Amino acid sequence: MHGILAYAFGGILALLVVASAVTALLIRRQPERSYTSVKLRIQTWWWLAGLLFLALSFDPLVALGLTAFVSYLGFKEFVSLVPTRPADNPTLLLAYLAIPVQYLWVHMAWYGMFIIFIPVYVFLLLPLRMVVAGETRGFLRAAGTLHWGLMTTVFSISHLAYLLALPEHAGAHGPVRGELLVFYLLVLTQLNDVAQFLWGKLLGRRAIAPRVSPNKTLEGLLGGILTTTLLAWLLAPWLTPFSARDAVLAGLLISLCGFTGDVVISAIKRDIGVKDSGRLLPGHGGALDRLDSLTYTAPLFFHFIYYFYY
């Protein structure tokens, strides 16, 4: 494991220990109040941090396989929520087969095919297979939802894995490898969600998207932007090749795009009529509930760093 990454995981471990201790203290001092949701969330974060540690500590193939599996879980949840037609089952099989193929391009570091495979080739192939099935009722909705699901849960998330395929780049404290960039993006994206939630609870007054996500407030968004941008600037010299200016820009991008991804997935769930996409992660919901912000931050952060540094 990269020495800097070991220290970074030490910081995550310290945060989780503090959060667990504070929760235990609150439960002991205020037994009449329910902290079950908070306790479950923290327990799940322990598991997620452990998986991230395993993924980034060993061969990059482990991280690649785990990311592909996460994409599979996200897409599976998506198609379980969105009504599909019986005639589309063969098309669904093709959509699932697109997942390992997309991650094969990542493994090969074939950027040209990686960037067009789902947006172009799968986009053209799925409707063709649906035409062969001969069912025209609901055709446009079925084609659009399947491709949109692949774009968000597979194409977008695969950018996270492609960070691992980027060559080393000089940084302020030594060479920057892909696992450092993955850690930087994941930590900032998830902490941005937490920061926006906490600032919203403390200072939130004005709802920013009341019909989509009533608990999202302008104060929470601004607090999250400030917190995430500050953390992006502080962590950048250790985990990225960014200058101070680019670190601030990356923090702004991650905080704003993380918020956007969150509310977009919330709009989908409201349209379908569900609160959570599943029950896979206790206290958090389903895989899609944890991937919502990453569906925007992963591709946009990747192209930000790819354009300016590679």
Side-chain angles (χ1 to χ4, degrees), residues 31-306:
E32 72 281 358
R33 299 188 63 178
S34 175
Y35 291 96
T36 303
S37 178
V38 175
K39 186 177 179 180
L40 286 174
R41 280 176 174 265
I42 294 173
Q43 288 175 351
T44 301
W45 276 121
W46 276 102
W47 283 102
L48 293 176
L51 286 173
L52 181 61
F53 175 81
L54 291 174
L56 298 183
S57 299
F58 298 102
D59 192 280
L61 275 175
V62 176
L64 180 69
L66 180 60
T67 311
F69 183 63
V70 167
S71 280
Y72 161 77
L73 291 177
F75 184 67
K76 183 174 181 293
E77 282 188 359
F78 181 85
V79 296
S80 69
L81 294 174
V82 179
T84 56
R85 308 174 306 172
D88 293 331
N89 287 340
T91 308
L92 270 173
L93 176 60
L94 289 178
Y96 276 113
L97 290 175
I99 299 175
V101 176
Q102 174 70 5
Y103 282 91
L104 174 63
W105 310 138
V106 176
H107 176 61
M108 296 172 63
W110 188 355
Y111 179 79
M113 185 59 75
F114 160 79
I115 208 68
I116 68 170
F117 175 64
I118 290 178
V120 178
Y121 294 119
V122 175
F123 173 76
L124 298 174
L125 176 62
L126 295 186
L128 174 61
R129 182 61 186 86
M130 294 167 67
V131 166
V132 171
E135 178 60 66
T136 59
R137 179 171 294 181
F139 181 92
L140 182 59
R141 178 181 177 86
T145 53
L146 281 180
H147 191 255
W148 203 90
L150 281 174
M151 286 293 292
T152 51
T153 62
V154 182
F155 180 68
S156 288
I157 301 302
S158 66
H159 286 77
L160 182 68
Y162 206 103
L163 288 172
L164 296 167
L166 294 178
E168 286 188 358
H169 199 290
H173 296 281
V176 174
R177 298 205 299 262
E179 60 264 31
L180 296 180
L181 298 174
V182 169
F183 185 90
Y184 184 80
L185 173 60
L186 284 175
V187 167
L188 288 180
T189 299
Q190 300 306 319
L191 287 180
N192 178 62
D193 290 346
V194 174
Q196 289 189 11
F197 172 79
L198 292 177
W199 283 111
K201 285 291 185 183
L202 289 171
L203 303 175
R205 295 292 184 273
R206 287 165 286 189
I208 196 169
R211 297 184 63 183
V212 177
S213 186
N215 293 326
K216 299 289 183 185
T217 64
L218 178 61
E219 294 80 5
L221 172 61
L222 294 176
I225 290 172
L226 290 174
T227 303
T228 303
T229 302
L230 175 61
L231 288 171
W233 177 71
L234 290 172
L235 295 174
W238 303 93
L239 301 173
T240 75
F242 294 155
S243 64
R245 182 204 65 181
D246 289 346
V248 170
L249 291 176
L252 291 171
L253 182 147
I254 290 171
S255 55
L256 287 169
C257 294
F259 171 83
T260 305
D262 193 343
V263 294
V264 166
I265 299 299
S266 293
I268 293 172
K269 290 187 291 186
R270 282 197 172 272
D271 181 33
I272 297 170
V274 298
K275 182 179 183 296
D276 296 322
S277 63
R279 298 181 180 179
L280 178 66
L281 304 173
H284 294 262
L288 197 55
D289 295 307
R290 281 269 51 88
L291 293 176
D292 51 8
S293 298
L294 274 172
T295 60
Y296 271 63
T297 62
L300 293 173
F301 175 80
F302 173 86
H303 289 291
F304 174 81
I305 192 171
Y306 190 82

